[in-house]
Amino acid sequence: MSSGLVNGITSVCSGSLILGAAGFLTGRRAACHWAWRELLPIFGAIADDGRIVRDGNILSGGGVTAGIDFVLALIAELRGQRVAEMVQLGLEYAPQPPFNSGRPDTAPVEVLEAVNVRTGPSRAQRRARLEAWATARHA
């Protein structure tokens, strides 16, 4: 089976920031953990809130739990849907989260606000470092 991803590049969670820093995402859509997604444009990438995003030979996934969905999609690309479904069955992967707060758009407002308060300082520091890096790189 032939796939456009045989010579592709993949990432999950904030790994797309590494791909962006390496110059692979300029003008390309990419997924990233929601808390870091807004940093993708620093590298010329187009932030996409999809759980799994394919743009040409680049396949990226959202947060770390998207990794299972991501790898099933990758297996389907490389080996076919049937093999991916066999792997899913072997893992008994049938998610049924007890809460609907896994994404900012579905989480209760107070939960999202609490997470933003907790992670805000580190996110601001990371943004400042990445912007400084990008500015120095283009100087």
Side-chain angles (χ1 to χ4, degrees), residues 42-90:
I42 292 172
F43 306 109
I46 301 164
D48 189 309
D49 66 357
R51 193 158 167 87
I52 303 166
V53 175
R54 180 171 180 184
D55 190 336
N57 69 334
I58 297 176
L59 186 68
S60 55
V64 71
T65 62
I68 295 173
D69 295 354
F70 170 87
V71 78
L72 291 171
L74 181 59
I75 291 168
E77 286 276 346
L78 298 175
R79 300 293 305 274
Q81 182 175 331
R82 182 178 176 136
V83 173
E85 289 175 338
M86 292 168 60
V87 170
Q88 181 178 356
L89 178 58

Side-chain angles (χ1 to χ4, degrees), residues 103-136:
R103 297 183 61 95
D105 55 324
T106 63
V109 172
E110 62 275 8
V111 170
L112 177 59
E113 288 173 354
V115 169
N116 281 332
V117 165
R118 178 181 280 173
T119 62
S122 65
R123 289 167 56 191
Q125 290 171 352
R126 184 177 282 190
R127 173 177 273 290
R129 285 193 304 261
L130 290 176
E131 287 175 341
W133 177 85
T135 299

Side-chain angles (χ1 to χ4, degrees), residues 91-109:
L91 295 173
E92 193 179 357
Y93 179 61
Q96 296 177 335
F99 311 106
N100 191 21
S101 60
R103 297 183 61 95
D105 55 324
T106 63
V109 172

